[in-house]
Amino acid sequence: MNVHSARELARVHQALAEPNRIRILKMLEIRPLCVCEITAVLQLAASTVSKHLSILREAGFIVDHKDGKWVNYQLNEHPDPKVVGTCFSHLARLLTNDETVLSDAEKVRSVDRHQLCK
Amino acid sequence: MNVHSARELARVHQALAEPNRIRILKMLEIRPLCVCEITAVLQLAASTVSKHLSILREAGFIVDHKDGKWVNYQLNEHPDPKVVGTCFSHLARLLTNDETVLSDAEKVRSVDRHQLCK
DNA sequence: ACTACATTTAGGCAAGTATCGAAATAACCC
DNA sequence: GGGTTATTTCGATACTTGCCTAAATGTAGT
């Protein structure tokens, strides 16, 4: 669905108005991740990461799936509202050379929830 | 130029994360406007509008030109960073049926700085 | 230079946000 | 069922933001 009001559109952009949330979306471009993996990369409290994820979920950017004691988050393949989808395609082209994003990507590739969580 | 970091990109989105700033951009799609015209439409204090405009300017969305005692603001035709330009093209397609935006547009067409400012 | 007025800056207040640690919840394993 | 662990919710704190009023700045016309 299209966004209906300036207020709704503002909320979508608000979700992207925080660097750590952008880093999370760039990480999820690589693969679905659970909260503890994201927490390990961002070096924030788990509760903080959980909050960021709920903001991204409510804005329509990501969806979650339970997997035992883990919760996997991934990019929403059927973005709603539509503007979220266009944000995705920009995001995919942006920050491809950003140091932090590149280093996050490397950590994503090496991180493993089974080693992480004892 | 492309945006360099998640922080910079967040700042661009932060500019669009406020309904009144989105309304301002939709108004400027119609024509350049001075601060007092925007103030008359939004019904906010002039200083508040001025602050919103400076946020939009610093994010690269608008430029200003002095015109006597007025300052005209208009959409930046050479948006920098590039992502600002893509935001413009989405914005142009969004909120075309929003009541507030339509009513703002009507006011923009009837407002006149010379009548407004005695 | 003086006045008028559009705009910006400064100061203050209320509401919202990012963060943490601790407590609550949920799901696994023994 | 009881212990363990991943996640979310709650409460507190520091910071940021949006708004206003008042003061400062800049420009035009007399």
Side-chain angles (χ1 to χ4, degrees), chain B residues 14-25 52 55-56:
Chain B
Q14 180 69 50
L16 299 182
E18 216 285 326
N20 289 321
R21 288 196 288 270
I22 291 177
R23 288 171 70 189
I24 290 173
L25 291 179
H52 282 314
I55 289 169
L56 288 169

Side-chain angles (χ1 to χ4, degrees), chain A residues 39-60:
Chain A
T39 300
V41 175
L42 295 186
Q43 302 270 56
L44 292 172
S47 59
T48 303
V49 171
S50 179
K51 179 70 176 159
H52 282 313
L53 289 167
S54 77
I55 290 169
L56 289 170
R57 175 171 14 82
E58 277 157 35

Side-chain angles (χ1 to χ4, degrees), chain A:
Chain A
M1 244 337 250
N2 275 321
V3 105
H4 298 56
S5 67
R7 177 174 310 218
E8 270 180 79
L9 182 57
R11 200 165 62 87
V12 171
H13 286 290
Q14 179 69 45
L16 299 182
E18 215 286 328
N20 289 322
R21 288 197 288 270
I22 292 177
R23 288 172 69 189
I24 290 173
L25 291 179
K26 293 300 283 182
M27 288 161 63
L28 292 178
E29 283 179 4
I30 301 171
R31 64 175 172 91
L33 294 166
C34 67
V35 181
C36 67
E37 289 171 320
I38 298 171
T39 300
V41 175
L42 295 186
Q43 302 270 56
L44 292 172
S47 59
T48 303
V49 171
S50 179
K51 179 70 176 159
H52 282 313
L53 289 167
S54 77
I55 290 169
L56 289 170
R57 175 171 14 82
E58 277 157 35
F61 284 94
I62 59 177
V63 295
D64 58 27
H65 297 290
K66 281 247 158 103
D67 173 20
K69 60 182 171 182
W70 289 289
V71 178
N72 287 323
Y73 282 89
Q74 60 183 274
L75 298 186
N76 185 354
E77 289 172 24
H78 306 289
D80 182 72
K82 278 187 202 163
V83 67
V84 166
T86 49
C87 287
F88 277 149
S89 39
H90 299 152
L91 250 191
R93 275 187 285 275
L94 291 172
L95 305 180
T96 47
N97 291 307
D98 177 58
E99 269 184 35
T100 306
V101 170
L102 289 172
S103 134
D104 288 350
E106 203 163 317
K107 285 177 195 151
V108 163
R109 278 181 247 276
S110 67
V111 95
D112 172 19
R113 72 186 63 179
H114 297 98
Q115 288 188 296
L116 214 62
C117 316
K118 10 177 177 149

